[in-house]
Amino acid sequence: MNALSPRRRIARAAVAGVALTGLLAACGGSGDDDGSSASGPVTLDYWGWANGQPAVVKAFNAAHQDVRLKYTKVTDQLTMQKQLTNAVKAGNAPCLVQNTAEYVTTWVSQGALADISKYVEPSRAKFNAGSWASAQVRGTFYGVPTSSSPNFTIYRADVFQKYGVKAPTTWEEFVAAGKELKKHGVKITNYAGEDPSTLEVLAMQAGAHWYAIDGDAWKIDFQDAGTLKAAKVIQDVIDNDLNSTLSFADYAAVQRNYDNGGTVTRQISTWQMAGMVQNFTKSFGQWALAPWPAFAGEAAKTPAGTNLTGGVNLVTKDCKHQQQAAEAALWMSTDPGAVRTMASPETGNGVMPALADTSSYVDASISRKLLGTHYAPAKKVVSDSLDTVTTDWTFGPNWTAMFTELQAGWAKVVSKEQKVTDLLAHMQKWTVDDLRSRGISVKG
């Protein structure tokens, strides 16, 4: 949450069949031209945005003689979708692209990705089940997962202690803590007007299902009980002026605000610590971790992702060397050196690996510099959060367009021009209408 950056989703990117969506006829190339008989080294273009990837590419090239990666850094997640759209239309998409699970269904529906199941299936046991699911649609694999997403709260322990506030364990306590901190000129959270992932992940945690498959149609529901439960928490925060409204367009200003104690909590994953480590100057050692707040009376449960991490490396249909691309993606996600580089907030993106066993990487994925004496207990918070992750969230075939529309409405929510429930009512109608305009069978 709280940043328009790569989001890691441990979720099932479920999608209906060809007859259901009308968009999945082209499901990727066969990979017959995989370059296995080519002479000389094969060069694979690889686009990504995450810190640490250049070092991983350098290590890959040093370890391989027959295949080389040519890395191009893209600005961010949203820029990637735009540039990839243009490349796919032009027929010159790179072989490998960093992406996130919520976009996999969309790219499959556009026929942009290659079926690499036969190359990656033998490695299934190396990955945890949630991460493994993020790279497939209806049992066909289009990429290799890159990270898991432990989610938790990071908070300014010194500020909480100063004002006698305890780390909240429920969302109700979160709002109450915000009201107490407000008395001292401190905001408990930041809602950027361009980033509706706050609404998405709280709805996910509350058991909502914006998209689901019902028989031969998509079922759309932005107004179910879970979503309304999430909406109430957010509306309470906004109505009581408990949140900052700093845009991540000015990333430095947001980080200064956290560093100076103007805003004192974030619901994040490990990778977002990297930006804190790289930008803070005053508050090192003052931050601590606590579990993601639960809804009152409910067991601990964390969403499948926050505005989060790079989740998958995808292989495109345009790639002429699909086997080599799949094998390169597997190497980047499983080589111990490469994984540790990406796991560290100092050298990489602070992402938790997608591997079945991540215990040896927890130390590397959180910052002792940032947490100080709170470092040791933080390790348990991170490990425990992986056991409570939501696994039944579905991304729909028009997710990209839907999220863009959601952004526009969220900005009005943050500026108090409309209520969260107004936005949800709009999104219900808009999403149904949009799917129907694409010729997709839909209920809602």
Side-chain angles (χ1 to χ4, degrees):
M1 259 180 347
N2 303 335
L4 277 173
S5 303
R7 274 174 294 174
R8 172 71 188 89
R9 317 279 184 180
I10 306 177
R12 298 183 194 130
V15 67
V18 175
L20 172 60
T21 66
L23 294 174
L24 297 180
C27 289
S30 64
D32 292 339
D33 183 10
D34 63 10
S36 59
S37 61
S39 60
V42 167
T43 298
L44 307 174
D45 286 327
Y46 174 34
W47 290 3
W49 64 76
N51 294 331
Q53 285 176 335
V56 170
V57 167
K58 183 177 180 180
F60 176 89
N61 289 339
H64 296 80
Q65 294 183 345
D66 297 332
V67 181
R68 300 190 65 78
L69 294 176
K70 181 181 178 183
Y71 182 71
T72 298
K73 184 174 178 60
V74 177
T75 304
D76 54 32
Q77 175 195 16
L78 296 182
T79 302
M80 172 67 81
Q81 313 316 317
K82 296 173 184 177
Q83 293 187 357
L84 185 56
T85 295
N86 293 334
V88 168
K89 289 180 180 178
N92 60 0
C95 272
L96 277 168
V97 291
Q98 178 191 355
N99 227 287
T100 52
E102 74 266 32
Y103 292 109
V104 176
T105 304
T106 298
W107 287 118
V108 170
S109 73
Q110 295 179 23
L113 304 182
D115 176 0
I116 58 169
S117 301
K118 63 182 177 181
Y119 305 128
V120 301
E121 279 280 8
S123 298
R124 176 190 292 262
K126 296 180 181 180
F127 297 88
N128 68 63
S131 296
W132 186 250
S134 68
Q136 61 83 36
V137 175
R138 298 182 68 238
T140 298
F141 286 82
Y142 300 93
V144 175
T146 60
S147 61
S148 299
S149 183
N151 296 296
F152 43 79
T153 299
I154 189 167
Y155 67 99
R156 280 289 295 270
D158 58 330
V159 176
F160 272 63
Q161 183 178 15
K162 179 179 179 180
Y163 298 120
V165 180
K166 294 182 178 180
T169 61
T170 67
W171 285 114
E172 289 74 11
E173 290 178 3
F174 185 84
V175 172
K179 291 178 179 178
E180 182 61 33
L181 291 167
K182 178 185 175 182
K183 298 175 183 176
H184 308 285
V186 176
K187 302 292 188 180
I188 195 167
T189 192
N190 181 64
Y191 289 167
E194 73 275 12
D195 182 13
S197 63
T198 300
L199 174 58
E200 177 193 345
V201 295
L202 262 68
M204 186 187 299
Q205 179 194 8
H209 296 282
W210 292 353
Y211 291 85
I213 295 173
D214 184 2
D216 61 351
W218 283 95
K219 181 180 178 181
I220 306 302
D221 195 347
F222 282 79
Q223 297 170 299
D224 61 6
T227 304
L228 294 178
K229 189 189 302 183
K232 183 181 185 308
V233 173
I234 293 169
Q235 198 66 61
D236 283 348
V237 170
I238 293 174
D239 287 347
N240 288 284
D241 296 314
L242 310 182
N243 60 298
S244 301
T245 58
L246 297 174
S247 169
F248 274 83
D250 191 347
Y251 185 72
V254 175
Q255 295 291 13
R256 281 195 303 272
N257 188 45
Y258 291 130
D259 197 21
N260 293 332
T263 303
V264 291
T265 78
R266 299 179 71 186
Q267 276 72 46
I268 62 171
S269 188
T270 54
W271 70 270
Q272 285 154 312
M273 290 188 191
M276 301 170 82
V277 171
Q278 293 161 9
N279 288 276
F280 287 0
T281 60
K282 300 177 180 178
S283 60
F284 289 122
Q286 301 299 333
W287 293 85
L289 303 189
W292 188 282
F295 288 96
E298 297 185 8
K301 186 179 181 183
T302 54
T306 56
N307 205 8
L308 263 174
T309 72
V312 290
N313 276 325
L314 300 172
V315 178
T316 68
K317 184 179 178 182
D318 287 344
C319 182
K320 292 181 169 36
H321 310 291
Q322 292 169 12
Q323 179 175 354
Q324 287 93 331
E327 291 171 351
L330 283 169
W331 186 93
M332 288 190 284
S333 289
T334 59
D335 176 79
V339 171
R340 190 162 290 277
T341 293
M342 296 305 296
S344 169
E346 278 80 21
T347 63
N349 222 34
V351 294
M352 187 64 68
L355 300 174
D357 181 7
T358 59
S359 58
S360 62
Y361 296 98
V362 173
D363 286 359
S365 69
I366 60 176
S367 171
R368 190 183 298 272
K369 182 178 181 181
L370 185 66
L371 299 169
T373 58
H374 310 290
Y375 175 80
K379 291 189 289 185
K380 185 177 187 321
V381 173
V382 172
S383 297
D384 288 350
S385 72
L386 286 168
D387 297 327
T388 60
V389 175
T390 305
T391 59
D392 61 350
W393 183 259
T394 298
F395 296 107
N398 68 336
W399 183 270
T400 304
M402 183 282 294
F403 198 81
T404 299
E405 184 69 16
L406 187 66
Q407 283 179 292
W410 174 256
K412 294 181 180 179
V413 169
V414 172
S415 63
K416 297 185 176 181
E417 296 176 55
Q418 66 175 350
K419 299 290 187 180
V420 183
T421 50
D422 297 330
L423 171 59
L424 294 172
H426 169 74
M427 291 309 304
Q428 177 68 29
K429 183 178 186 305
W430 186 94
T431 305
V432 169
D433 290 347
D434 182 68
L435 288 172
R436 286 176 177 161
S437 73
R438 298 168 187 260
I440 299 174
S441 180
V442 60
K443 298 176 181 178

PDB file of all heavy atoms in Angstrom, residues 263-292:
ATOM      1  N   THR A 263       4.116  11.261   9.727  1.00  0.00           N
ATOM      2  CA  THR A 263       3.255  10.088   9.564  1.00  0.00           C
ATOM      3  C   THR A 263       4.020   8.902  10.128  1.00  0.00           C
ATOM      4  O   THR A 263       5.216   8.763   9.867  1.00  0.00           O
ATOM      5  CB  THR A 263       2.901   9.853   8.085  1.00  0.00           C
ATOM      6  OG1 THR A 263       2.278  11.024   7.558  1.00  0.00           O
ATOM      7  CG2 THR A 263       1.958   8.673   7.924  1.00  0.00           C
ATOM      8  N   VAL A 264       3.321   8.024  10.872  1.00  0.00           N
ATOM      9  CA  VAL A 264       4.095   7.091  11.695  1.00  0.00           C
ATOM     10  C   VAL A 264       3.782   5.617  11.498  1.00  0.00           C
ATOM     11  O   VAL A 264       4.314   4.780  12.227  1.00  0.00           O
ATOM     12  CB  VAL A 264       3.944   7.443  13.190  1.00  0.00           C
ATOM     13  CG1 VAL A 264       4.652   8.764  13.498  1.00  0.00           C
ATOM     14  CG2 VAL A 264       2.471   7.491  13.607  1.00  0.00           C
ATOM     15  N   THR A 265       2.938   5.256  10.532  1.00  0.00           N
ATOM     16  CA  THR A 265       2.767   3.836  10.219  1.00  0.00           C
ATOM     17  C   THR A 265       2.645   3.646   8.712  1.00  0.00           C
ATOM     18  O   THR A 265       2.227   4.552   7.986  1.00  0.00           O
ATOM     19  CB  THR A 265       1.505   3.199  10.864  1.00  0.00           C
ATOM     20  OG1 THR A 265       0.347   3.576  10.122  1.00  0.00           O
ATOM     21  CG2 THR A 265       1.358   3.570  12.319  1.00  0.00           C
ATOM     22  N   ARG A 266       2.995   2.451   8.290  1.00  0.00           N
ATOM     23  CA  ARG A 266       2.722   2.003   6.929  1.00  0.00           C
ATOM     24  C   ARG A 266       2.362   0.520   6.999  1.00  0.00           C
ATOM     25  O   ARG A 266       2.979  -0.234   7.747  1.00  0.00           O
ATOM     26  CB  ARG A 266       3.939   2.166   6.015  1.00  0.00           C
ATOM     27  CG  ARG A 266       4.433   3.569   5.845  1.00  0.00           C
ATOM     28  CD  ARG A 266       5.661   3.616   4.943  1.00  0.00           C
ATOM     29  NE  ARG A 266       5.333   3.329   3.552  1.00  0.00           N
ATOM     30  CZ  ARG A 266       6.250   3.193   2.582  1.00  0.00           C
ATOM     31  NH1 ARG A 266       7.527   3.278   2.870  1.00  0.00           N
ATOM     32  NH2 ARG A 266       5.887   2.955   1.337  1.00  0.00           N
ATOM     33  N   GLN A 267       1.372   0.101   6.213  1.00  0.00           N
ATOM     34  CA  GLN A 267       1.135  -1.331   6.022  1.00  0.00           C
ATOM     35  C   GLN A 267       1.872  -1.721   4.744  1.00  0.00           C
ATOM     36  O   GLN A 267       1.500  -1.305   3.644  1.00  0.00           O
ATOM     37  CB  GLN A 267      -0.364  -1.634   5.901  1.00  0.00           C
ATOM     38  CG  GLN A 267      -1.084  -1.780   7.231  1.00  0.00           C
ATOM     39  CD  GLN A 267      -1.268  -0.471   7.959  1.00  0.00           C
ATOM     40  OE1 GLN A 267      -1.676   0.522   7.341  1.00  0.00           O
ATOM     41  NE2 GLN A 267      -0.980  -0.426   9.249  1.00  0.00           N
ATOM     42  N   ILE A 268       2.935  -2.497   4.908  1.00  0.00           N
ATOM     43  CA  ILE A 268       3.848  -2.725   3.789  1.00  0.00           C
ATOM     44  C   ILE A 268       4.327  -4.170   3.751  1.00  0.00           C
ATOM     45  O   ILE A 268       3.925  -4.999   4.565  1.00  0.00           O
ATOM     46  CB  ILE A 268       5.069  -1.790   3.872  1.00  0.00           C
ATOM     47  CG1 ILE A 268       5.884  -2.071   5.152  1.00  0.00           C
ATOM     48  CG2 ILE A 268       4.651  -0.344   3.790  1.00  0.00           C
ATOM     49  CD1 ILE A 268       7.219  -1.348   5.193  1.00  0.00           C
ATOM     50  N   SER A 269       5.228  -4.433   2.816  1.00  0.00           N
ATOM     51  CA  SER A 269       5.957  -5.687   2.768  1.00  0.00           C
ATOM     52  C   SER A 269       7.448  -5.372   2.850  1.00  0.00           C
ATOM     53  O   SER A 269       7.842  -4.204   2.963  1.00  0.00           O
ATOM     54  CB  SER A 269       5.639  -6.460   1.489  1.00  0.00           C
ATOM     55  OG  SER A 269       6.209  -7.754   1.525  1.00  0.00           O
ATOM     56  N   THR A 270       8.269  -6.400   2.786  1.00  0.00           N
ATOM     57  CA  THR A 270       9.702  -6.216   3.012  1.00  0.00           C
ATOM     58  C   THR A 270      10.345  -5.270   2.008  1.00  0.00           C
ATOM     59  O   THR A 270      11.226  -4.484   2.363  1.00  0.00           O
ATOM     60  CB  THR A 270      10.423  -7.569   2.971  1.00  0.00           C
ATOM     61  OG1 THR A 270      10.101  -8.250   1.743  1.00  0.00           O
ATOM     62  CG2 THR A 270       9.991  -8.441   4.138  1.00  0.00           C
ATOM     63  N   TRP A 271       9.906  -5.328   0.751  1.00  0.00           N
ATOM     64  CA  TRP A 271      10.594  -4.565  -0.287  1.00  0.00           C
ATOM     65  C   TRP A 271      10.506  -3.057  -0.065  1.00  0.00           C
ATOM     66  O   TRP A 271      11.393  -2.302  -0.458  1.00  0.00           O
ATOM     67  CB  TRP A 271      10.061  -4.915  -1.678  1.00  0.00           C
ATOM     68  CG  TRP A 271       8.674  -4.430  -1.945  1.00  0.00           C
ATOM     69  CD1 TRP A 271       7.513  -5.087  -1.708  1.00  0.00           C
ATOM     70  CD2 TRP A 271       8.311  -3.163  -2.493  1.00  0.00           C
ATOM     71  NE1 TRP A 271       6.442  -4.316  -2.071  1.00  0.00           N
ATOM     72  CE2 TRP A 271       6.904  -3.135  -2.557  1.00  0.00           C
ATOM     73  CE3 TRP A 271       9.033  -2.047  -2.936  1.00  0.00           C
ATOM     74  CZ2 TRP A 271       6.203  -2.032  -3.045  1.00  0.00           C
ATOM     75  CZ3 TRP A 271       8.325  -0.954  -3.418  1.00  0.00           C
ATOM     76  CH2 TRP A 271       6.927  -0.951  -3.477  1.00  0.00           C
ATOM     77  N   GLN A 272       9.433  -2.592   0.590  1.00  0.00           N
ATOM     78  CA  GLN A 272       9.281  -1.151   0.762  1.00  0.00           C
ATOM     79  C   GLN A 272      10.254  -0.574   1.790  1.00  0.00           C
ATOM     80  O   GLN A 272      10.439   0.638   1.856  1.00  0.00           O
ATOM     81  CB  GLN A 272       7.838  -0.835   1.141  1.00  0.00           C
ATOM     82  CG  GLN A 272       6.903  -0.962  -0.061  1.00  0.00           C
ATOM     83  CD  GLN A 272       5.488  -1.277   0.347  1.00  0.00           C
ATOM     84  OE1 GLN A 272       5.247  -2.169   1.146  1.00  0.00           O
ATOM     85  NE2 GLN A 272       4.524  -0.565  -0.213  1.00  0.00           N
ATOM     86  N   MET A 273      10.867  -1.447   2.566  1.00  0.00           N
ATOM     87  CA  MET A 273      11.889  -0.961   3.487  1.00  0.00           C
ATOM     88  C   MET A 273      13.092  -0.392   2.742  1.00  0.00           C
ATOM     89  O   MET A 273      13.803   0.467   3.262  1.00  0.00           O
ATOM     90  CB  MET A 273      12.369  -2.095   4.396  1.00  0.00           C
ATOM     91  CG  MET A 273      11.354  -2.555   5.415  1.00  0.00           C
ATOM     92  SD  MET A 273      12.136  -3.723   6.548  1.00  0.00           S
ATOM     93  CE  MET A 273      10.700  -4.347   7.400  1.00  0.00           C
ATOM     94  N   ALA A 274      13.323  -0.879   1.528  1.00  0.00           N
ATOM     95  CA  ALA A 274      14.484  -0.413   0.769  1.00  0.00           C
ATOM     96  C   ALA A 274      14.428   1.100   0.569  1.00  0.00           C
ATOM     97  O   ALA A 274      15.429   1.800   0.744  1.00  0.00           O
ATOM     98  CB  ALA A 274      14.555  -1.136  -0.570  1.00  0.00           C
ATOM     99  N   GLY A 275      13.250   1.628   0.193  1.00  0.00           N
ATOM    100  CA  GLY A 275      13.120   3.065  -0.013  1.00  0.00           C
ATOM    101  C   GLY A 275      13.329   3.843   1.268  1.00  0.00           C
ATOM    102  O   GLY A 275      13.875   4.959   1.250  1.00  0.00           O
ATOM    103  N   MET A 276      12.928   3.259   2.385  1.00  0.00           N
ATOM    104  CA  MET A 276      13.117   3.925   3.669  1.00  0.00           C
ATOM    105  C   MET A 276      14.600   3.981   4.022  1.00  0.00           C
ATOM    106  O   MET A 276      15.128   5.020   4.420  1.00  0.00           O
ATOM    107  CB  MET A 276      12.311   3.190   4.747  1.00  0.00           C
ATOM    108  CG  MET A 276      10.816   3.148   4.450  1.00  0.00           C
ATOM    109  SD  MET A 276       9.851   2.057   5.548  1.00  0.00           S
ATOM    110  CE  MET A 276       9.639   3.165   6.954  1.00  0.00           C
ATOM    111  N   VAL A 277      15.278   2.860   3.855  1.00  0.00           N
ATOM    112  CA  VAL A 277      16.712   2.790   4.155  1.00  0.00           C
ATOM    113  C   VAL A 277      17.494   3.774   3.285  1.00  0.00           C
ATOM    114  O   VAL A 277      18.411   4.452   3.746  1.00  0.00           O
ATOM    115  CB  VAL A 277      17.234   1.359   3.952  1.00  0.00           C
ATOM    116  CG1 VAL A 277      18.764   1.323   4.035  1.00  0.00           C
ATOM    117  CG2 VAL A 277      16.641   0.422   5.000  1.00  0.00           C
ATOM    118  N   GLN A 278      17.102   3.871   2.029  1.00  0.00           N
ATOM    119  CA  GLN A 278      17.855   4.688   1.078  1.00  0.00           C
ATOM    120  C   GLN A 278      17.569   6.179   1.203  1.00  0.00           C
ATOM    121  O   GLN A 278      18.355   7.000   0.719  1.00  0.00           O
ATOM    122  CB  GLN A 278      17.540   4.209  -0.347  1.00  0.00           C
ATOM    123  CG  GLN A 278      18.063   2.805  -0.641  1.00  0.00           C
ATOM    124  CD  GLN A 278      17.373   2.161  -1.833  1.00  0.00           C
ATOM    125  OE1 GLN A 278      16.613   2.807  -2.558  1.00  0.00           O
ATOM    126  NE2 GLN A 278      17.627   0.875  -2.028  1.00  0.00           N
ATOM    127  N   ASN A 279      16.466   6.550   1.879  1.00  0.00           N
ATOM    128  CA  ASN A 279      16.084   7.962   1.921  1.00  0.00           C
ATOM    129  C   ASN A 279      16.074   8.581   3.312  1.00  0.00           C
ATOM    130  O   ASN A 279      16.098   9.809   3.436  1.00  0.00           O
ATOM    131  CB  ASN A 279      14.697   8.136   1.289  1.00  0.00           C
ATOM    132  CG  ASN A 279      14.706   7.956  -0.215  1.00  0.00           C
ATOM    133  OD1 ASN A 279      15.005   8.879  -0.959  1.00  0.00           O
ATOM    134  ND2 ASN A 279      14.380   6.750  -0.667  1.00  0.00           N
ATOM    135  N   PHE A 280      16.036   7.786   4.360  1.00  0.00           N
ATOM    136  CA  PHE A 280      15.996   8.342   5.701  1.00  0.00           C
ATOM    137  C   PHE A 280      17.360   8.849   6.146  1.00  0.00           C
ATOM    138  O   PHE A 280      18.398   8.356   5.691  1.00  0.00           O
ATOM    139  CB  PHE A 280      15.513   7.291   6.705  1.00  0.00           C
ATOM    140  CG  PHE A 280      14.035   6.986   6.619  1.00  0.00           C
ATOM    141  CD1 PHE A 280      13.209   7.624   5.709  1.00  0.00           C
ATOM    142  CD2 PHE A 280      13.467   6.048   7.471  1.00  0.00           C
ATOM    143  CE1 PHE A 280      11.865   7.342   5.635  1.00  0.00           C
ATOM    144  CE2 PHE A 280      12.116   5.753   7.398  1.00  0.00           C
ATOM    145  CZ  PHE A 280      11.310   6.404   6.483  1.00  0.00           C
ATOM    146  N   THR A 281      17.334   9.817   7.047  1.00  0.00           N
ATOM    147  CA  THR A 281      18.576  10.321   7.642  1.00  0.00           C
ATOM    148  C   THR A 281      18.468  10.462   9.163  1.00  0.00           C
ATOM    149  O   THR A 281      19.477  10.514   9.848  1.00  0.00           O
ATOM    150  CB  THR A 281      18.947  11.704   7.065  1.00  0.00           C
ATOM    151  OG1 THR A 281      17.886  12.629   7.344  1.00  0.00           O
ATOM    152  CG2 THR A 281      19.193  11.624   5.566  1.00  0.00           C
ATOM    153  N   LYS A 282      17.234  10.501   9.699  1.00  0.00           N
ATOM    154  CA  LYS A 282      17.044  10.832  11.117  1.00  0.00           C
ATOM    155  C   LYS A 282      16.524   9.685  11.987  1.00  0.00           C
ATOM    156  O   LYS A 282      16.842   9.631  13.175  1.00  0.00           O
ATOM    157  CB  LYS A 282      16.063  12.003  11.240  1.00  0.00           C
ATOM    158  CG  LYS A 282      16.488  13.280  10.547  1.00  0.00           C
ATOM    159  CD  LYS A 282      15.395  14.334  10.677  1.00  0.00           C
ATOM    160  CE  LYS A 282      15.791  15.636   9.978  1.00  0.00           C
ATOM    161  NZ  LYS A 282      14.703  16.656  10.073  1.00  0.00           N
ATOM    162  N   SER A 283      15.717   8.795  11.419  1.00  0.00           N
ATOM    163  CA  SER A 283      14.932   7.896  12.275  1.00  0.00           C
ATOM    164  C   SER A 283      15.410   6.450  12.278  1.00  0.00           C
ATOM    165  O   SER A 283      14.666   5.554  12.675  1.00  0.00           O
ATOM    166  CB  SER A 283      13.459   7.934  11.844  1.00  0.00           C
ATOM    167  OG  SER A 283      13.304   7.531  10.494  1.00  0.00           O
ATOM    168  N   PHE A 284      16.630   6.205  11.857  1.00  0.00           N
ATOM    169  CA  PHE A 284      17.136   4.838  11.879  1.00  0.00           C
ATOM    170  C   PHE A 284      17.114   4.294  13.302  1.00  0.00           C
ATOM    171  O   PHE A 284      17.457   4.980  14.261  1.00  0.00           O
ATOM    172  CB  PHE A 284      18.558   4.783  11.319  1.00  0.00           C
ATOM    173  CG  PHE A 284      18.626   4.998   9.836  1.00  0.00           C
ATOM    174  CD1 PHE A 284      19.385   6.035   9.302  1.00  0.00           C
ATOM    175  CD2 PHE A 284      17.931   4.180   8.963  1.00  0.00           C
ATOM    176  CE1 PHE A 284      19.442   6.246   7.933  1.00  0.00           C
ATOM    177  CE2 PHE A 284      17.980   4.379   7.588  1.00  0.00           C
ATOM    178  CZ  PHE A 284      18.742   5.420   7.076  1.00  0.00           C
ATOM    179  N   GLY A 285      16.687   3.053  13.415  1.00  0.00           N
ATOM    180  CA  GLY A 285      16.625   2.401  14.719  1.00  0.00           C
ATOM    181  C   GLY A 285      15.343   2.649  15.484  1.00  0.00           C
ATOM    182  O   GLY A 285      15.128   2.056  16.544  1.00  0.00           O
ATOM    183  N   GLN A 286      14.464   3.531  14.965  1.00  0.00           N
ATOM    184  CA  GLN A 286      13.244   3.899  15.689  1.00  0.00           C
ATOM    185  C   GLN A 286      11.999   3.178  15.165  1.00  0.00           C
ATOM    186  O   GLN A 286      10.908   3.371  15.704  1.00  0.00           O
ATOM    187  CB  GLN A 286      13.023   5.409  15.604  1.00  0.00           C
ATOM    188  CG  GLN A 286      14.156   6.252  16.165  1.00  0.00           C
ATOM    189  CD  GLN A 286      14.392   6.000  17.646  1.00  0.00           C
ATOM    190  OE1 GLN A 286      13.469   5.616  18.373  1.00  0.00           O
ATOM    191  NE2 GLN A 286      15.623   6.181  18.098  1.00  0.00           N
ATOM    192  N   TRP A 287      12.172   2.354  14.149  1.00  0.00           N
ATOM    193  CA  TRP A 287      11.023   1.685  13.547  1.00  0.00           C
ATOM    194  C   TRP A 287      10.906   0.255  14.069  1.00  0.00           C
ATOM    195  O   TRP A 287      11.909  -0.398  14.342  1.00  0.00           O
ATOM    196  CB  TRP A 287      11.146   1.679  12.027  1.00  0.00           C
ATOM    197  CG  TRP A 287      11.056   3.055  11.437  1.00  0.00           C
ATOM    198  CD1 TRP A 287      12.080   3.938  11.285  1.00  0.00           C
ATOM    199  CD2 TRP A 287       9.887   3.714  10.972  1.00  0.00           C
ATOM    200  NE1 TRP A 287      11.620   5.117  10.745  1.00  0.00           N
ATOM    201  CE2 TRP A 287      10.280   4.999  10.534  1.00  0.00           C
ATOM    202  CE3 TRP A 287       8.555   3.345  10.856  1.00  0.00           C
ATOM    203  CZ2 TRP A 287       9.353   5.911  10.002  1.00  0.00           C
ATOM    204  CZ3 TRP A 287       7.639   4.245  10.327  1.00  0.00           C
ATOM    205  CH2 TRP A 287       8.050   5.522   9.910  1.00  0.00           C
ATOM    206  N   ALA A 288       9.676  -0.213  14.189  1.00  0.00           N
ATOM    207  CA  ALA A 288       9.406  -1.578  14.639  1.00  0.00           C
ATOM    208  C   ALA A 288       8.304  -2.184  13.774  1.00  0.00           C
ATOM    209  O   ALA A 288       7.559  -1.461  13.092  1.00  0.00           O
ATOM    210  CB  ALA A 288       8.986  -1.584  16.111  1.00  0.00           C
ATOM    211  N   LEU A 289       8.197  -3.506  13.799  1.00  0.00           N
ATOM    212  CA  LEU A 289       7.159  -4.199  13.038  1.00  0.00           C
ATOM    213  C   LEU A 289       6.102  -4.767  13.968  1.00  0.00           C
ATOM    214  O   LEU A 289       6.390  -5.174  15.095  1.00  0.00           O
ATOM    215  CB  LEU A 289       7.763  -5.345  12.221  1.00  0.00           C
ATOM    216  CG  LEU A 289       8.867  -5.019  11.225  1.00  0.00           C
ATOM    217  CD1 LEU A 289       9.170  -6.236  10.361  1.00  0.00           C
ATOM    218  CD2 LEU A 289       8.509  -3.826  10.354  1.00  0.00           C
ATOM    219  N   ALA A 290       4.878  -4.796  13.483  1.00  0.00           N
ATOM    220  CA  ALA A 290       3.761  -5.421  14.178  1.00  0.00           C
ATOM    221  C   ALA A 290       2.915  -6.145  13.131  1.00  0.00           C
ATOM    222  O   ALA A 290       2.958  -5.797  11.945  1.00  0.00           O
ATOM    223  CB  ALA A 290       2.912  -4.375  14.903  1.00  0.00           C
ATOM    224  N   PRO A 291       2.153  -7.150  13.532  1.00  0.00           N
ATOM    225  CA  PRO A 291       1.302  -7.838  12.552  1.00  0.00           C
ATOM    226  C   PRO A 291       0.320  -6.890  11.881  1.00  0.00           C
ATOM    227  O   PRO A 291      -0.070  -5.868  12.445  1.00  0.00           O
ATOM    228  CB  PRO A 291       0.559  -8.883  13.404  1.00  0.00           C
ATOM    229  CG  PRO A 291       1.448  -9.105  14.579  1.00  0.00           C
ATOM    230  CD  PRO A 291       2.076  -7.760  14.863  1.00  0.00           C
ATOM    231  N   TRP A 292      -0.081  -7.244  10.679  1.00  0.00           N
ATOM    232  CA  TRP A 292      -1.114  -6.505   9.954  1.00  0.00           C
ATOM    233  C   TRP A 292      -2.378  -6.486  10.808  1.00  0.00           C
ATOM    234  O   TRP A 292      -2.788  -7.521  11.321  1.00  0.00           O
ATOM    235  CB  TRP A 292      -1.376  -7.217   8.630  1.00  0.00           C
ATOM    236  CG  TRP A 292      -2.264  -6.517   7.668  1.00  0.00           C
ATOM    237  CD1 TRP A 292      -3.619  -6.448   7.711  1.00  0.00           C
ATOM    238  CD2 TRP A 292      -1.864  -5.819   6.483  1.00  0.00           C
ATOM    239  NE1 TRP A 292      -4.114  -5.748   6.640  1.00  0.00           N
ATOM    240  CE2 TRP A 292      -3.050  -5.357   5.865  1.00  0.00           C
ATOM    241  CE3 TRP A 292      -0.644  -5.549   5.879  1.00  0.00           C
ATOM    242  CZ2 TRP A 292      -3.036  -4.627   4.677  1.00  0.00           C
ATOM    243  CZ3 TRP A 292      -0.638  -4.826   4.699  1.00  0.00           C
ATOM    244  CH2 TRP A 292      -1.805  -4.369   4.106  1.00  0.00           C
TER     245      TRP A 292
END
